[in-house]
Amino acid sequence: MAAIQPLPNRDTVTTIREDGSRPFLFPADTHGRFTRARQISALLLIAFYLSLPWIKINGYPAVFLDVALRRFHLFGITLAAQDLWLLFFLITGVGFSLFFVTALLGRIWCGWACPHTVFLDHVYRRIERWIDGDAVQRRALDAAPRTPQKIFKRVLKHALFILVSAVITHLFFAYFVSLPEVWAMMRAAPAEHWSAFAFVTVYTLGLYFNFGWFREQLCIVLCPYGRIQSVLIDDHSLVIGYDAKRGEPRGKVGAAGAGACVDCNRCVHVCPTGIDIRQGLQMECVGCTACIDACDDVMTRLHRPRGLIRYDSKNAFAGRVTRWLRPRTLLYGVLLFIGASVATWALSTVRPANFGVTRITGAPYLVDAGFVRNQFFVRVVNKRTAPARFVVRVNRAPADLRQTGLTAPVEVPPLGEIVQPLVLQQPRVNYTGPFIFEVRIEDAAGKFHLERDVEFLGPEARLLREEEEEKREHAKKPN
Ligand code: SF4
Ligand code: SF4
């Protein structure tokens, strides 16, 4: 009977040799249900990503992070600079979602939805496969001496890589400046918008470097999510694993006492991170499912049940029960629910306009021609994508408080703002000390209003009294 293979522990990653050099990987092709499903999902994700700048909602791209005007348009919702605190919920929401999904489903994000995996496996590797051939041909071409044919293939492949990187970069840039603006910049000289030109150049080269050469190193060496996932999952989480109970002892077909694994190494040859899944769950596994399809294919040809490598929990692989409901999934689920609820409430509080009242710098008040005068600037911001008219009122103020400025409705352009002076004055004989009044803006349709409390300032009442007495004394004195 064949001996059970020990499952070696490694303290190095598969893509760095002991001397520090890197073995470039040539993962073999796979066919099967997961490969097909991932291709469809990648196609949809790429179409979604590339189409967002083209789809218009309320006159703006579906996702338009207008940095120049500090306005974010997200699927019809417009957030102004004052609303950026809401991004806190977006970022923490994404974080909690990843925690929750990872605790339940392991590296499902990495294998199915991460832009790095999606573009690498379904765009760049497709180009490479088209030009250089399958894994065997690619390896042979890599080892072959430099010939005109090899140079031609290399130039063609890298030119296409750079072209695709440039297209992705320009569409990504359109998320921040809009497509018409990107198109205008592309037709102008680089010197007219050198910072944009520098961004696009550096980003294109970064993508080219990553997808053309760095590849799986990003997941293994750089990606922080890859690092923290090991603390997010436990033995109940769904992972891609090898059923050692069924597969071991591995041995060639027909070997006496051998398990289901025929040691064909097909699962290793297809792995884009170069690992052997039979050694157990490893940090480098990005959950791409390639080894599942590869092994299922082998099992099918041998008329054996599929699933020697499959999605399951570590507990299930060990013959124990998998529990979906457990403290960490409950905790992450509750945090996710609370975060989603608070984010929904916060989004519902986003106002179509905002305003501020600022006292004119210098003297907080003026005493002049028998009046105590306070001067302000009122800034009204229209966050809608259509012009809006606003009425500015002063409420809860003494009846003798006179208002100058902003007595007529003001029109504010779409996503624009106006700043206008507001002067309030009260006869000094009636002034008895500082008081709070209300400034209120209403849209012309009366559907929306906002209020601010503002303080009316003046000299202390004691000073006023002393001044009055001094005047009276002065008046009594004979000339
Ligand atoms: S071990 Fe399997 S699922 Fe993990 S990266 Fe390799 S091929 Fe993909
Ligand atoms: S593909 Fe399946 S049978 Fe072949 S080595 Fe891997 S686990 Fe064993």
Side-chain angles (χ1 to χ4, degrees), residues 68 169-170 173 177-202:
T169 299
H170 280 81
F173 193 44
V177 297
S178 81
L179 275 174
E181 189 66 16
V182 170
W183 180 234
M185 286 180 181
M186 284 168 69
R187 286 177 298 160
E192 288 179 30
H193 44 79
W194 64 267
S195 54
F197 181 74
F199 171 84
V200 166
T201 306
V202 170

Side-chain angles (χ1 to χ4, degrees), residues 48-367:
F48 179 69
Y49 165 72
L50 298 183
S51 62
L52 282 181
W54 305 84
I55 299 171
K56 292 214 166 165
I57 303 176
N58 292 342
Y60 287 88
V63 174
F64 180 25
L65 312 176
D66 189 349
V67 179
L69 292 178
R70 289 180 296 156
R71 307 251 191 273
F72 288 1
H73 307 272
L74 300 172
F75 301 102
I77 299 173
T78 297
L79 302 177
Q82 300 90 341
D83 303 318
L84 288 192
W85 58 279
L86 287 168
L87 289 183
F88 166 79
F89 294 107
L90 187 70
I91 294 164
T92 50
V94 169
F96 284 141
S97 304
L98 274 183
F99 281 19
F100 182 64
V101 170
T102 307
L104 279 180
L105 306 176
R107 286 187 88 159
I108 205 94
W109 160 264
C110 302
W112 291 78
C114 172
H116 177 263
T117 311
V118 167
F119 280 105
L120 177 59
D121 283 0
H122 304 282
V123 178
Y124 289 84
R125 283 201 208 278
R126 302 296 302 171
I127 294 172
E128 195 163 67
R129 172 78 173 78
W130 174 59
I131 295 172
D132 290 350
D134 62 19
V136 176
Q137 292 168 321
R138 290 201 302 275
R139 186 174 281 109
L141 185 70
D142 193 57
R146 205 171 291 155
T147 61
Q149 191 203 22
K150 179 173 176 176
I151 293 171
F152 172 74
K153 286 189 171 188
R154 286 286 185 264
V155 169
L156 178 62
K157 182 174 82 171
H158 289 282
L160 282 177
F161 279 178
I162 292 173
L163 181 68
V164 171
S165 302
V167 170
I168 296 173
T169 299
H170 280 81
L171 282 165
F172 178 65
F173 193 44
Y175 277 60
F176 298 91
V177 297
S178 81
L179 275 174
E181 189 66 16
V182 170
W183 180 234
M185 286 180 181
M186 284 168 69
R187 286 177 298 160
E192 288 179 30
H193 44 79
W194 64 267
S195 54
F197 181 74
F199 171 84
V200 166
T201 306
V202 170
Y203 201 89
T204 299
L205 292 177
L207 287 184
Y208 168 60
F209 167 76
N210 178 56
F211 291 116
W213 185 78
F214 200 53
R215 299 192 169 184
E216 75 286 345
Q217 301 297 311
L218 185 100
C219 313
I220 296 173
V221 181
L222 282 188
C223 177
Y225 175 55
R227 299 279 81 74
I228 62 169
Q229 58 134 3
S230 48
V231 297
L232 296 176
I233 65 173
D234 58 18
D235 289 353
H236 296 276
S237 305
L238 199 67
V239 292
I240 292 175
Y242 165 69
D243 189 345
K245 284 160 76 89
R246 187 184 143 202
E248 301 294 322
R250 64 190 78 158
K252 297 300 171 196
V253 181
C261 174
V262 291
D263 210 10
C264 63
N265 276 334
R266 181 83 186 129
C267 50
V268 181
H269 294 151
V270 299
C271 180
T273 60
I275 60 174
D276 183 347
I277 191 67
R278 293 171 299 171
Q279 294 179 0
L281 184 61
Q282 291 150 77
M283 183 192 75
E284 295 96 327
C285 176
V286 292
C288 73
T289 72
C291 53
I292 302 182
D293 274 343
C295 189
D296 278 354
D297 191 31
V298 175
M299 292 295 115
T300 305
R301 285 163 198 254
L302 295 174
H303 305 292
R304 293 178 181 175
R306 296 188 305 191
L308 181 57
I309 298 176
R310 62 177 184 271
Y311 272 118
D312 221 330
S313 71
K314 283 181 80 179
N315 274 341
F317 281 116
R320 295 188 293 265
V321 175
T322 301
R323 279 190 291 112
W324 294 101
L325 281 183
R326 48 196 200 277
R328 76 171 61 204
T329 55
L330 285 174
L331 175 67
Y332 296 152
V334 167
L335 289 176
L336 185 58
F337 176 75
I338 293 173
S341 306
V342 176
T344 308
W345 166 81
L347 266 182
S348 72
T349 65
V350 173
R351 301 291 183 181
N354 207 344
F355 87 110
V357 183
T358 320
R359 193 177 296 279
I360 284 179
T361 47
Y365 62 86
L366 292 172
V367 181

Side-chain angles (χ1 to χ4, degrees), residues 330-459:
L330 285 174
L331 175 67
Y332 296 152
V334 167
L335 289 176
L336 185 58
F337 176 75
I338 293 173
S341 306
V342 176
T344 308
W345 166 81
L347 266 182
S348 72
T349 65
V350 173
R351 301 291 183 181
N354 207 344
F355 87 110
V357 183
T358 320
R359 193 177 296 279
I360 284 179
T361 47
Y365 62 86
L366 292 172
V367 181
D368 182 28
F371 287 93
V372 178
R373 187 178 303 145
N374 279 212
Q375 304 177 98
F376 304 93
F377 282 125
V378 177
R379 178 166 163 266
V380 183
V381 180
N382 177 15
K383 295 197 264 174
R384 290 190 187 116
T385 52
R389 281 162 67 84
F390 295 98
V391 179
V392 180
R393 300 183 197 285
V394 173
N395 295 331
R396 294 203 327 253
D400 58 354
L401 193 71
R402 267 189 24 216
Q403 174 182 344
T404 312
L406 286 171
T407 47
V410 288
E411 176 135 345
V412 188
L415 301 177
E417 64 180 52
I418 55 111
V419 179
Q420 289 202 3
L422 170 69
V423 180
L424 298 172
Q425 57 185 23
Q426 185 182 33
R428 63 188 288 181
V429 289
N430 298 344
Y431 177 78
T432 54
F435 58 87
I436 303 288
F437 62 97
E438 178 189 273
V439 180
R440 172 186 171 107
I441 65 163
E442 295 169 8
D443 70 350
K447 290 181 181 160
F448 159 79
H449 61 86
L450 277 175
E451 298 89 22
R452 298 260 181 280
D453 277 352
V454 184
E455 189 171 22
F456 188 92
L457 297 176

